[in-house]
Amino acid sequence: MAKKNVTFFCKECGYEAAGWMGKCPACGQWNTFTEAPSGAAASGKSSRPESPVYKANSFSWTDSAVTVRLGDAGKEHYSRHSTGVACLDGLFGGGITDGSVTLVVGEPGIGKSTILMQLINTFKSDSEILYVSGEESPAQIGMRAQRLGVTRNILICGETRFESIAEQIKEYKPSLCIVDSIQTLYSDEISGTPGSITQTREVTAGIIRIAKTNNISFILVGHITKDGSIAGPKTIEHMVDTVLTFDGDNTGGYRILRSVKNRFGKSNELAFFEMGDKGLRPVESSKALLVAGRPIDSPGSVLTSVLEGNEALICEVQALVAQSCYPNPQRMTSGPDRNRVMMLLAVCDKIFRLNMSSNDCFINVIGGLKISDPASDLAICAAVISSARGVSVRPNTLIIGEVGLSGEIRPVSRIMKRISEAGKLGITTVVIPGSLESSIEKEMSEFMSSGKAASDSLESIVRLYPDNLSEAVDMLFTRAD
Ligand code: TYD
Ligand code: MG
């Protein structure tokens, strides 16, 4: 579709419009419209026809220009190269696929450049690796590589002009090309400053075409702020094959790398790392989520189990409910979705009269983990009630269940998977939705009779089955002894 004198675009999703708007009609965000760089607007015509990205690559996105039968498609075998780190391979679906384009996004300083530099050293391929850096000089990269103990003699290209980079790629034919970061790249032929939506999108399109036609794997780095307000990476997520996001607390030592999209494997896989003086080191999830070092007998702290990809993670949820000194009480969340928490607060307030209208509430998931699993609802409610009342929950209790608007506890999926690791982490009680009682007890007895190694630790765990929040509170705040 031809663009008409585009002068404004949405910073969130890249939607373009002729005039400024308060709310973006595409993504629904407020106050995200900003003026497009003057060139595109003044010329009043699309920059695309002149773009070398389009001129030089006037073929289709993938290489299959012909129509084929489904039975004949997919016979081509994608070869993969291992990253040399098992948990990273898992994120890519078993190694980096040839000709794939991966986007690694995260806040500045979270460790994107560090992990990629480490990956270079262990990447299992004899051919060249090209590191395109628009952020750091080759000298800086050299120093970092020395500190991280990188011995592989890779090529470094300190260039930000897309056309020059494309020439370098043509000359050296690397098997892997890392671009740090995509926001620093620009093309002469496209209007707009480096990092603008148009530049980022068009340069990425050019990179994808190079990757698909030459079978070169690319890893692109994209910066994103906490609220995702720098839009570049967001707008190119749909174009690339794999998107890895870096979560975790910048100031803490633990980082979580998550595959949010993967065209070559399962998505939502997680890998945990610890930042040390020699870069990022893989760690076990239970260590990263600090389950072992959690406060015991402390009001507002509870444990829950959330499913991430194929893994059930046991993590600590903390709540602080305190008298507010503002006319509008504060609601802050780090980890769970804020709107979900608001709903749970309303349910708790209605049933237990917690006086939330004059109390601030803060919810935090330890380790910087973002959780979206509704099975954590009951744990969030328990943490809030525990903090508001100043009473700690039963010690070493794992709390699982989705909470409905009337305070009923609804069933959750894959409960055995969620509790299977509980015994190893010192859990002595699990709180499970009441509606699952018969199926779980049946499965438990089968599990026990099968004589599996884990069955001993599971057998000794007390299982409680509340049907609603009031019953759960009676069970959770009654000491076992
Ligand atoms: P960096 O990878 O440059 O972050 P990004 O590319 O995502 O912006 O580095 C992140 C932080 O990690 C930086 O503040 C310094 C710290 N760091 C270490 O603690 N140990 C190390 O070995 C390295 C290389 C970095
Ligand atoms: Mg960096």
Side-chain angles (χ1 to χ4, degrees), residues 140-166:
Q140 276 177 297
I141 297 170
M143 274 163 56
R144 183 199 295 258
Q146 261 178 16
R147 195 143 67 87
L148 293 171
V150 175
T151 48
R152 193 165 183 157
N153 204 8
I154 58 155
L155 293 162
I156 298 173
C157 172
E159 179 61 80
T160 52
R161 189 172 155 266
F162 172 71
E163 289 75 18
S164 317
I165 295 165

Tab-separated table of all heavy atoms in Angstrom, residues 140-166:
chain	number	residue	atom	x	y	z
A	140	GLN	N	37.457	-1.789	22.458
A	140	GLN	CA	36.628	-2.120	23.624
A	140	GLN	C	36.198	-3.583	23.587
A	140	GLN	O	36.204	-4.273	24.605
A	140	GLN	CB	35.364	-1.251	23.620
A	140	GLN	CG	35.549	0.120	24.237
A	140	GLN	CD	34.263	0.915	24.104
A	140	GLN	OE1	33.829	1.203	22.991
A	140	GLN	NE2	33.669	1.248	25.221
A	141	ILE	N	35.829	-4.020	22.373
A	141	ILE	CA	35.385	-5.415	22.232
A	141	ILE	C	36.544	-6.351	22.541
A	141	ILE	O	36.377	-7.366	23.212
A	141	ILE	CB	34.836	-5.665	20.806
A	141	ILE	CG1	33.615	-4.785	20.585
A	141	ILE	CG2	34.479	-7.129	20.590
A	141	ILE	CD1	33.131	-4.746	19.173
A	142	GLY	N	37.738	-5.968	22.081
A	142	GLY	CA	38.934	-6.774	22.344
A	142	GLY	C	39.180	-6.917	23.836
A	142	GLY	O	39.484	-8.008	24.338
A	143	MET	N	39.029	-5.790	24.578
A	143	MET	CA	39.256	-5.832	26.025
A	143	MET	C	38.235	-6.727	26.716
A	143	MET	O	38.563	-7.508	27.609
A	143	MET	CB	39.166	-4.412	26.598
A	143	MET	CG	40.482	-3.670	26.520
A	143	MET	SD	40.281	-1.911	26.727
A	143	MET	CE	39.457	-1.819	28.284
A	144	ARG	N	36.985	-6.598	26.272
A	144	ARG	CA	35.932	-7.424	26.869
A	144	ARG	C	36.206	-8.918	26.595
A	144	ARG	O	36.065	-9.754	27.469
A	144	ARG	CB	34.571	-7.034	26.299
A	144	ARG	CG	33.425	-7.804	26.940
A	144	ARG	CD	32.215	-7.752	26.069
A	144	ARG	NE	31.688	-6.408	25.939
A	144	ARG	CZ	30.625	-5.969	26.613
A	144	ARG	NH1	30.007	-6.758	27.439
A	144	ARG	NH2	30.189	-4.752	26.441
A	145	ALA	N	36.617	-9.191	25.339
A	145	ALA	CA	36.886	-10.578	24.960
A	145	ALA	C	38.003	-11.159	25.820
A	145	ALA	O	37.931	-12.292	26.275
A	145	ALA	CB	37.244	-10.644	23.483
A	146	GLN	N	39.030	-10.334	26.077
A	146	GLN	CA	40.151	-10.792	26.914
A	146	GLN	C	39.665	-11.117	28.316
A	146	GLN	O	40.013	-12.133	28.902
A	146	GLN	CB	41.192	-9.676	27.011
A	146	GLN	CG	42.336	-9.884	26.064
A	146	GLN	CD	43.327	-8.738	26.161
A	146	GLN	OE1	43.315	-7.953	27.111
A	146	GLN	NE2	44.182	-8.645	25.167
A	147	ARG	N	38.812	-10.198	28.850
A	147	ARG	CA	38.315	-10.391	30.217
A	147	ARG	C	37.471	-11.660	30.320
A	147	ARG	O	37.505	-12.377	31.306
A	147	ARG	CB	37.473	-9.173	30.610
A	147	ARG	CG	37.206	-9.084	32.079
A	147	ARG	CD	37.224	-7.645	32.519
A	147	ARG	NE	36.114	-6.891	31.944
A	147	ARG	CZ	34.935	-6.829	32.508
A	147	ARG	NH1	34.694	-7.476	33.619
A	147	ARG	NH2	33.989	-6.107	31.965
A	148	LEU	N	36.727	-11.940	29.225
A	148	LEU	CA	35.852	-13.114	29.247
A	148	LEU	C	36.589	-14.388	28.827
A	148	LEU	O	36.005	-15.462	28.794
A	148	LEU	CB	34.652	-12.889	28.319
A	148	LEU	CG	33.664	-11.796	28.748
A	148	LEU	CD1	32.658	-11.530	27.644
A	148	LEU	CD2	32.945	-12.190	30.016
A	149	GLY	N	37.860	-14.240	28.474
A	149	GLY	CA	38.655	-15.409	28.082
A	149	GLY	C	38.281	-15.949	26.712
A	149	GLY	O	38.358	-17.153	26.475
A	150	VAL	N	37.853	-15.036	25.793
A	150	VAL	CA	37.490	-15.479	24.443
A	150	VAL	C	38.762	-15.617	23.616
A	150	VAL	O	39.536	-14.668	23.477
A	150	VAL	CB	36.532	-14.460	23.773
A	150	VAL	CG1	36.240	-14.846	22.340
A	150	VAL	CG2	35.248	-14.366	24.568
A	151	THR	N	38.974	-16.817	23.085
A	151	THR	CA	40.220	-17.049	22.360
A	151	THR	C	40.006	-17.112	20.850
A	151	THR	O	40.950	-17.051	20.086
A	151	THR	CB	40.845	-18.382	22.819
A	151	THR	OG1	39.813	-19.372	22.807
A	151	THR	CG2	41.434	-18.272	24.212
A	152	ARG	N	38.764	-17.230	20.425
A	152	ARG	CA	38.489	-17.378	18.990
A	152	ARG	C	38.778	-16.062	18.263
A	152	ARG	O	38.341	-15.000	18.705
A	152	ARG	CB	37.023	-17.740	18.820
A	152	ARG	CG	36.710	-18.207	17.447
A	152	ARG	CD	35.374	-18.884	17.464
A	152	ARG	NE	35.068	-19.422	16.170
A	152	ARG	CZ	34.233	-20.408	15.983
A	152	ARG	NH1	33.631	-20.961	17.000
A	152	ARG	NH2	33.988	-20.852	14.770
A	153	ASN	N	39.481	-16.160	17.149
A	153	ASN	CA	39.916	-14.949	16.446
A	153	ASN	C	38.869	-14.521	15.416
A	153	ASN	O	39.037	-14.722	14.216
A	153	ASN	CB	41.264	-15.247	15.766
A	153	ASN	CG	42.041	-13.982	15.530
A	153	ASN	OD1	41.643	-12.907	16.010
A	153	ASN	ND2	43.117	-14.072	14.789
A	154	ILE	N	37.814	-13.910	15.888
A	154	ILE	CA	36.697	-13.566	14.993
A	154	ILE	C	36.952	-12.249	14.258
A	154	ILE	O	37.908	-11.532	14.570
A	154	ILE	CB	35.378	-13.445	15.776
A	154	ILE	CG1	35.507	-12.390	16.885
A	154	ILE	CG2	34.952	-14.774	16.339
A	154	ILE	CD1	34.225	-11.771	17.296
A	155	LEU	N	36.105	-11.934	13.307
A	155	LEU	CA	36.202	-10.672	12.580
A	155	LEU	C	35.332	-9.631	13.287
A	155	LEU	O	34.198	-9.932	13.664
A	155	LEU	CB	35.674	-10.854	11.156
A	155	LEU	CG	36.477	-11.761	10.237
A	155	LEU	CD1	35.615	-12.192	9.063
A	155	LEU	CD2	37.727	-11.042	9.758
A	156	ILE	N	35.875	-8.426	13.447
A	156	ILE	CA	35.068	-7.374	14.061
A	156	ILE	C	34.887	-6.249	13.056
A	156	ILE	O	35.856	-5.804	12.430
A	156	ILE	CB	35.742	-6.822	15.332
A	156	ILE	CG1	35.876	-7.941	16.358
A	156	ILE	CG2	34.934	-5.674	15.920
A	156	ILE	CD1	36.670	-7.548	17.564
A	157	CYS	N	33.676	-5.796	12.893
A	157	CYS	CA	33.402	-4.736	11.933
A	157	CYS	C	32.748	-3.572	12.690
A	157	CYS	O	31.642	-3.695	13.188
A	157	CYS	CB	32.471	-5.305	10.857
A	157	CYS	SG	31.857	-4.097	9.717
A	158	GLY	N	33.483	-2.478	12.798
A	158	GLY	CA	32.973	-1.315	13.545
A	158	GLY	C	32.228	-0.361	12.631
A	158	GLY	O	32.562	0.810	12.540
A	159	GLU	N	31.246	-0.826	11.952
A	159	GLU	CA	30.538	-0.055	10.915
A	159	GLU	C	29.055	0.003	11.259
A	159	GLU	O	28.517	-0.925	11.877
A	159	GLU	CB	30.769	-0.792	9.583
A	159	GLU	CG	30.116	-0.214	8.361
A	159	GLU	CD	30.566	1.197	8.044
A	159	GLU	OE1	31.663	1.377	7.461
A	159	GLU	OE2	29.802	2.118	8.374
A	160	THR	N	28.395	1.102	10.874
A	160	THR	CA	26.956	1.164	11.145
A	160	THR	C	26.143	1.361	9.860
A	160	THR	O	24.929	1.346	9.895
A	160	THR	CB	26.627	2.331	12.110
A	160	THR	OG1	27.200	3.508	11.593
A	160	THR	CG2	27.133	2.055	13.499
A	161	ARG	N	26.836	1.567	8.723
A	161	ARG	CA	26.115	1.762	7.461
A	161	ARG	C	25.774	0.396	6.870
A	161	ARG	O	26.661	-0.420	6.629
A	161	ARG	CB	26.997	2.567	6.505
A	161	ARG	CG	26.295	3.011	5.263
A	161	ARG	CD	27.189	3.974	4.482
A	161	ARG	NE	26.826	3.934	3.080
A	161	ARG	CZ	27.410	3.174	2.180
A	161	ARG	NH1	28.424	2.402	2.510
A	161	ARG	NH2	26.994	3.188	0.925
A	162	PHE	N	24.501	0.160	6.651
A	162	PHE	CA	24.044	-1.160	6.232
A	162	PHE	C	24.705	-1.628	4.943
A	162	PHE	O	25.131	-2.782	4.825
A	162	PHE	CB	22.515	-1.150	6.079
A	162	PHE	CG	21.984	-2.410	5.475
A	162	PHE	CD1	21.980	-3.588	6.199
A	162	PHE	CD2	21.498	-2.436	4.172
A	162	PHE	CE1	21.506	-4.763	5.654
A	162	PHE	CE2	21.027	-3.607	3.607
A	162	PHE	CZ	21.030	-4.776	4.352
A	163	GLU	N	24.838	-0.723	3.971
A	163	GLU	CA	25.390	-1.103	2.667
A	163	GLU	C	26.832	-1.595	2.811
A	163	GLU	O	27.231	-2.578	2.173
A	163	GLU	CB	25.339	0.068	1.679
A	163	GLU	CG	23.935	0.431	1.207
A	163	GLU	CD	23.110	1.165	2.258
A	163	GLU	OE1	23.705	1.693	3.218
A	163	GLU	OE2	21.871	1.215	2.132
A	164	SER	N	27.621	-0.928	3.681
A	164	SER	CA	29.021	-1.355	3.878
A	164	SER	C	29.060	-2.706	4.564
A	164	SER	O	29.886	-3.574	4.239
A	164	SER	CB	29.790	-0.362	4.746
A	164	SER	OG	29.493	0.934	4.366
A	165	ILE	N	28.148	-2.889	5.530
A	165	ILE	CA	28.125	-4.170	6.258
A	165	ILE	C	27.775	-5.301	5.294
A	165	ILE	O	28.395	-6.375	5.320
A	165	ILE	CB	27.120	-4.104	7.431
A	165	ILE	CG1	27.598	-3.080	8.455
A	165	ILE	CG2	26.942	-5.461	8.094
A	165	ILE	CD1	26.577	-2.652	9.451
A	166	ALA	N	26.800	-5.035	4.407
A	166	ALA	CA	26.395	-6.064	3.432
A	166	ALA	C	27.581	-6.453	2.558
A	166	ALA	O	27.777	-7.628	2.236
A	166	ALA	CB	25.242	-5.530	2.590
